[in-house]
Amino acid sequence: MLWTPNTSGGYDLAIYDFGGVESYFIDINNNNEIAGSHIFAPERRNAIFWQNGTKTDLPGLGGDENFALALNDSTSIVGYVDGDGTINGANRYSAAIWQKDANGNFALTALGTSGFEQSFAKNINGIGQIVGQFTNGAGAELTSTPFLWDNGTFNPLGNLGGTKGDALSINQAGQIVGFSNDAAEAARASLWQKGQVFDLNNLVTNGSGWVLSHATGINDRGQIIGYGTFTDSLGQTETRAFSLETVPESDLTVGILVIGGLGLLSYKSRRK
């Protein structure tokens, strides 16, 4: 689905059917270019690029499924591909980037796994920095490590003491958000910047009832969105969205940590 602003101040909706089983638009850039995926047959998925009504299947490595999750304004697309080279109903994923060559065709670069079993690219900023997740194991034995890929090098990010984490979004300043499990293996919405990891729950007013579990996006103004849980006075817990605002300080970290008012922002979200 694509919503486009119209002259009446609203939006027009267009729905595209690519056939097969299902299709998804996942991300859009400022040039109205879209990245997503198309399940064209059971357990077969192509990463896709869409522009001006035309769908392009992105190249893969001969495996079952490929995913495109994000793109920047330079039309660099990131996601992950099945790298085992076989249609076998099993997947071994590698983080990937698709970029246009001199002829305007997309070329795939598999970024590898840096010694882990699998890797997944989740987001890319305007200068080509990529964030995502390494994994080892599966099911109850799964462990995961958030990473930053910068200038050809993987850099594992710090954690809050647990065995799972994921980097989901990066802005132009290189600030990264996602989640990291703490020592009790509870997911905590996290911010990585200047080589440090911060638990965003430190911004919530004590006793507010909020637990911020996942930060899913950060823009170039430093505004963060995500979701967590809110427990009311009757002990009822619900999953709810949150947004966090920065304050005008010369150093963003100081600006965030010194203001208890961010707990009030969560409260305002709860009231709404």
Side-chain angles (χ1 to χ4, degrees):
M1 297 178 288
L2 174 65
W3 288 268
T4 303
N6 59 36
T7 57
S8 301
Y11 284 84
D12 295 326
L13 170 63
I15 299 176
Y16 297 90
D17 183 358
F18 300 136
V21 182
E22 296 175 355
S23 54
Y24 299 84
F25 284 165
I26 304 297
D27 195 27
I28 186 169
N29 66 13
N30 288 313
N31 304 315
N32 294 324
E33 299 170 326
I34 295 172
S37 63
H38 176 211
I39 304 176
F40 60 92
E43 298 184 356
R44 299 294 311 282
R45 182 191 303 257
N46 279 334
I48 63 171
F49 170 76
W50 185 96
Q51 185 183 30
N52 297 330
T54 299
K55 175 180 74 73
T56 300
D57 291 325
L58 299 174
L61 295 175
D64 297 85
E65 293 190 316
N66 307 315
F67 295 75
L69 297 184
L71 77 170
N72 62 16
D73 289 343
S74 299
T75 322
S76 293
I77 304 170
V78 297
Y80 47 99
V81 298
D82 179 12
D84 63 16
T86 305
I87 307 302
N88 57 4
N91 298 287
R92 181 69 65 175
Y93 291 119
S94 170
I97 182 170
W98 291 268
Q99 296 171 300
K100 288 187 176 181
D101 60 21
N103 297 318
N105 300 314
F106 281 102
L108 165 67
T109 301
L111 301 180
T113 62
S114 192
F116 292 82
E117 293 178 5
Q118 300 189 93
S119 62
F120 306 82
K122 303 296 181 69
N123 197 232
I124 183 171
N125 65 10
I127 59 175
Q129 294 173 311
I130 299 169
V131 294
Q133 176 191 58
F134 299 122
T135 66
N136 282 329
E141 303 301 319
L142 177 71
T143 61
S144 57
T145 302
F147 70 74
L148 166 68
W149 186 91
D150 187 15
N151 197 29
T153 301
F154 278 115
N155 302 284
L157 299 173
N159 61 58
L160 297 175
T163 63
K164 295 181 176 65
D166 199 358
L168 299 174
S169 182
I170 182 170
N171 66 11
Q172 197 74 355
Q175 296 171 301
I176 301 165
V177 296
F179 82 91
S180 177
N181 281 13
D182 61 18
E185 296 297 350
R188 312 286 284 185
S190 301
L191 166 70
W192 290 268
Q193 66 173 20
K194 297 183 179 180
Q196 298 183 70
V197 57
F198 299 93
D199 183 350
L200 292 175
N201 286 274
N202 292 333
L203 313 181
V204 178
T205 302
N206 289 335
S208 68
W210 275 93
V211 175
L212 312 183
S213 60
H214 293 75
T216 57
I218 183 169
N219 64 15
D220 290 340
R221 297 176 61 185
Q223 296 167 310
I224 298 170
I225 60 169
Y227 62 92
T229 59
F230 175 74
T231 303
D232 63 21
S233 59
L234 300 177
Q236 297 175 320
T237 299
E238 299 178 349
T239 299
R240 301 206 179 166
F242 70 82
S243 66
L244 299 176
E245 300 280 344
T246 61
V247 295
E249 295 280 345
S250 58
D251 183 284
L252 178 62
T253 304
V254 174
I256 287 178
L257 296 180
V258 299
I259 183 165
L262 284 175
L264 296 179
L265 286 179
S266 294
Y267 176 74
K268 290 178 181 177
S269 298
R270 176 173 63 87
R271 289 288 298 275
K272 292 177 182 178

